[in-house]
Amino acid sequence: MTQYQVVGIGNAIVDVISQCDDSFLDLMGIQKGIMQLVEKERGEVLYGGMTNRVQAPGGSVANTLAGLGALGLTTAFIGRVNDDALGKFYQSEMVAGGTDFPNAPVSGGELPTSRSMIFVSPDGERSMNTYLGISSEVGPEDVSEDVAGNAKLLFLEGYLYDKPQGMQAFERAAELCKAGGGKAGISLSDPFCVDRHRDDFRRLVKELDYVIGNDHEWKSLYQTEDLQEALDQAAQETGLIVCTRSGEDVIMVEGGATATAPVRPIVPVDATGAGDLFAAGFLYGYATGQPLAKAGRMGCVAAAEIISHFGARPEADLKALFRKEGLL
């Protein structure tokens, strides 16, 4: 049985990335800068409007695991794909990147492998239009005790709560991880996701070991415009909270102690995956016993790398970047 340093569970989505200008977004009725769920027909229209497509395995937690795999940790991803061309591509690319994909592609599934059409505007903002497909059917039967029960850290994405069976998969994985002596945590995913599932997320903050979110997500969770008020309340309810704030210092609170990590602003080429790779850098530091301030800085370095080019997977050697910063 493999002992994994980090196991993730989330939506297995193929990212399809294309550059566009704001007028194209207006023409296609795409809301800039957020993730929207679309139906199959809408997805086909948007896919057909894309030029110079770049394809890569994606999904929020899967991107985080790709970063952790690149950093040399033993990782696995619990997700669901169809036994179609995109599904086979997804599985093979995850394995090639160093992350186990223990669930075989589903043969004869009615829904195709999920895909997200990501339109990147000149300012680096990404507008994501996601057709969930078969990944929305991930359920508790996809969660193996051999995988989730042997995780030092489990990382879950809030988007799973959009489907009842996803919620059940999420909670089974967390129970197995904690029963095996591991720590389970969540990414709040986005403010709209928090709005949809606020009561469940408020409960999870109290039950899980760590929670990662940005300032908008934390304020949404506690329904306040005062970030400090939100973080103070969160700190009383969970073991570790992490708050990213775009170009400002990252705030981390654990056991009454607060740490910060500086952000060095850069002009983004493509913001796709910034939060996912922040989580990768942070969780690498957390899994390897680094102080919070150092783990947070690792997250910032990894996020800066990912927004310096197109796509949500690192192109540079993250460990080399950490060494250059004096973090290793």
Side-chain angles (χ1 to χ4, degrees), residues 184-314:
I186 184 177
S187 161
L188 293 177
S189 294
D190 76 31
F192 301 101
C193 186
V194 174
D195 288 341
R196 292 193 296 271
H197 308 294
R198 183 174 291 108
D199 290 344
D200 281 320
F201 285 6
R202 288 288 301 272
R203 172 177 57 82
L204 287 170
V205 165
K206 297 174 183 177
E207 293 176 357
L208 298 178
D209 298 291
Y210 64 94
V211 183
I212 300 175
N214 64 32
D215 50 349
H216 303 295
E217 292 156 4
W218 282 113
K219 287 190 285 189
S220 173
L221 185 64
Y222 290 99
Q223 296 178 285
T224 176
E225 287 304 311
D226 185 334
L227 178 61
Q228 192 58 54
E229 178 184 330
L231 297 183
D232 287 346
Q233 191 163 346
Q236 296 173 22
E237 295 183 349
T238 196
L240 167 63
I241 65 169
V242 181
C243 177
T244 59
R245 300 184 294 160
S246 297
E248 299 183 55
D249 290 1
V250 176
I251 301 171
M252 295 150 286
V253 185
E254 183 177 38
T258 299
T260 60
V263 173
R264 293 172 195 158
I266 66 171
V267 177
V269 173
D270 172 16
T272 305
D276 305 335
L277 265 291
F278 170 83
F282 176 80
L283 291 176
Y284 175 81
Y286 189 48
T288 56
Q290 303 298 328
L292 282 184
K294 184 178 282 191
R297 183 66 196 136
M298 287 175 167
C300 295
V301 170
E305 191 281 337
I306 212 68
I307 66 174
S308 68
H309 58 78
F310 288 100
R313 302 295 169 99

Side-chain angles (χ1 to χ4, degrees), residues 135-154:
S135 73
S136 65
E137 294 188 332
V138 66
E141 69 277 9
D142 295 307
V143 179
S144 162
E145 185 172 355
D146 289 347
V147 179
N150 284 287
K152 181 176 179 181
L153 291 179
L154 180 72

